[in-house]
Amino acid sequence: MDEKRNTSRKKSPLAIGGFLAVVLSQGKLLLTALKFGKVGGAIISMFVTIWAYALLAPLPFVIGIVLLILIHELGHVLAARMKGLPVSAPVFIPFVGALIAMKKHPTNAATEAFIGIAGPIAGTLGGVAVFGLGMYFDSGVLLSVAYASFYLNLINLLPIHPLDGGRIATAVTRWLWLLGLIGGLVFIWYLDQPLNKLLFFVVWAMFAWDLYKKFVRFRHKEERVTVSTRFEHPANHLLGQSYVIPGENHMRELDFATYSDIQGAADGRQTIIMYWQGIGFEGHAYMPTQSLIRKVQVVKVDRLEKENGFFLGLQVQVEYSPLAAVNDSYYEVPTRTRWLFGTAYLALALFLLYMIRVVHQIGIA
């Protein structure tokens, strides 16, 4: 097996694109996929990603990579659900990868690291399985897919947010972020493709800005963030009371109350209940993370005439400070847990480096 293997012949991008266009043009197929709800979006984004990647690489190789990315993301999904955190199905983004949306964020670094490391572990196990199949069937395509999987999972272990390594570092030591800041620049310099350089530089710049906000800009003051939500409030009763209907530019602060549910090992999501007594409005909203609520304010009012009556469209803005920004207790992790995550992190990185070297010796890459 010293000779360099020949992967499958690259098919015409036009032919591949035409095939996928025919598939996606079938309305019944698309509607059937959408009926699966959360899974429908994942399936459609997978098809789009396969089509995009197939413009640059052989289709069998592309399908293998996308499936291994799916396995990686499912590792995150499983870990999040084990911690009682609801997440979306994976959504694929061509030339970027895939992601899951967390409907409730971790409340401590150990949980964040647990979810973060689950993806690379699942992706690595998937890569090992494909490597074994490639060796058994003497398949250059499968070995190439395994190599790419090992490489992508290793990159994901760089201690840079929002990569998985950056999340694992929260439970090991935040000094790893400094290593990631420096190592990220070295990695960008090493990349030879301009598009790859640009994409990774954007990730690195976002990470650098986040560190600046956490440890420089807001070191001695609380970070304040705003999030908006919208409500449609039935208002027929106001017309009968000769109530002065607020105009579009009407702004006012609202009274509010907030609470958090406790669900098993993970803290439940934080809920805000907001009130506008004059119009009989009571609205409920969920915070993206555990926070200190500073202000709840109506910033815009729309008058909506509908078939079933008159409504007020209320644009509400919530100003808050994330608890992680005002309280370092988020990063308090028992020493034993730090060592466990640190050991697993290092072992996984070394194993991936070893597997990449093995594939190199075989002559695939």
Side-chain angles (χ1 to χ4, degrees):
M1 299 180 66
D2 293 331
E3 295 184 4
K4 194 167 185 176
R5 299 171 186 268
N6 180 30
T7 58
S8 64
R9 180 174 59 88
K10 183 176 179 180
K11 296 186 178 181
S12 166
L14 183 60
I16 296 168
F19 169 75
L20 290 176
V22 170
V23 171
L24 294 177
S25 67
Q26 301 301 312
K28 290 183 179 180
L29 178 63
L30 184 59
L31 290 175
T32 301
L34 290 174
K35 286 180 181 179
F36 287 102
K38 299 177 181 179
V39 180
I43 293 174
I44 293 173
S45 64
M46 280 182 65
F47 270 102
V48 173
T49 300
I50 289 173
W51 171 79
Y53 287 163
L55 299 176
L56 304 175
L59 184 59
F61 174 82
V62 168
I63 292 175
I65 287 298
V66 171
L67 289 177
L68 284 178
I69 292 175
L70 175 62
I71 291 173
H72 176 111
E73 293 301 321
L74 289 178
H76 292 310
V77 171
L78 177 61
R81 291 182 177 175
M82 288 174 63
K83 292 295 184 178
L85 299 175
V87 295
S88 70
V91 176
F92 289 80
I93 304 174
F95 307 112
V96 174
L99 57 85
I100 58 172
M102 301 193 69
K103 302 176 183 178
K104 187 170 64 177
H105 291 270
T107 56
N108 57 73
T111 300
E112 181 178 353
F114 180 79
I115 297 171
I117 202 171
I121 289 176
T124 299
L125 291 176
V128 169
V130 173
F131 174 80
L133 290 173
M135 294 295 292
Y136 182 80
F137 291 107
D138 194 23
S139 169
V141 173
L142 291 177
L143 289 173
S144 296
V145 169
Y147 173 83
S149 174
F150 296 143
Y151 184 74
L152 291 174
N153 279 286
L154 183 62
I155 291 175
N156 238 312
L157 289 180
L158 287 172
I160 295 175
H161 266 291
L163 300 182
D164 296 330
R167 302 189 182 283
I168 300 167
T170 60
V172 181
T173 172
R174 283 175 282 174
W175 285 106
L176 284 174
W177 288 345
L178 180 60
L179 179 62
L181 199 63
I182 299 171
L185 285 176
V186 175
F187 182 74
I188 292 170
W189 178 265
Y190 172 78
L191 292 173
D192 55 357
Q193 295 293 331
L195 179 59
N196 291 338
K197 282 181 179 288
L198 176 61
L199 289 175
F200 201 86
F201 177 77
V202 170
V203 173
W204 180 89
M206 292 171 59
F207 172 63
W209 173 246
D210 186 58
L211 288 185
Y212 170 74
K213 288 194 300 180
K214 285 181 178 177
F215 300 108
V216 179
R217 184 178 180 184
F218 297 110
R219 183 175 179 83
H220 300 296
K221 63 179 181 179
E222 296 175 358
E223 178 182 5
R224 297 206 174 190
V225 186
T226 58
V227 63
S228 296
T229 186
R230 181 177 171 81
F231 301 91
E232 291 188 0
H233 177 62
N236 282 329
H237 63 288
L238 300 179
L239 299 177
Q241 298 172 4
S242 300
Y243 187 89
V244 178
I245 305 299
E248 180 179 352
N249 297 321
H250 182 83
M251 299 179 65
R252 70 162 57 213
E253 287 193 32
L254 300 181
D255 296 327
F256 67 90
T258 181
Y259 66 90
S260 297
D261 295 324
I262 304 297
Q263 300 176 352
D267 287 355
R269 59 185 175 184
Q270 183 175 1
T271 303
I272 302 178
I273 307 174
M274 54 198 77
Y275 309 93
W276 185 345
Q277 301 290 352
I279 64 173
F281 167 73
E282 178 181 313
H284 294 241
Y286 301 111
M287 296 301 297
T289 184
Q290 294 291 318
S291 311
L292 295 178
I293 310 301
R294 303 301 182 183
K295 182 168 63 175
V296 179
Q297 183 179 26
V298 172
V299 295
K300 184 179 180 181
V301 179
D302 295 321
R303 303 181 184 188
L304 307 174
E305 295 283 355
K306 296 189 174 184
E307 293 182 358
N308 56 339
F310 177 66
F311 291 79
L312 291 179
L314 306 178
Q315 189 74 27
V316 179
Q317 190 175 81
V318 179
E319 182 179 308
Y320 67 95
S321 297
L323 285 181
V326 299
N327 191 347
D328 272 356
S329 63
Y330 180 89
Y331 300 103
E332 292 178 0
V333 178
T335 302
R336 181 174 180 273
T337 303
R338 289 188 186 277
W339 276 101
L340 285 174
F341 278 116
T343 302
Y345 183 33
L346 179 61
L348 185 58
L350 291 176
F351 178 77
L352 287 168
L353 284 170
Y354 171 75
M355 292 305 299
I356 289 172
R357 182 172 179 271
V358 168
V359 180
H360 266 294
Q361 289 179 334
I362 293 174
I364 296 303

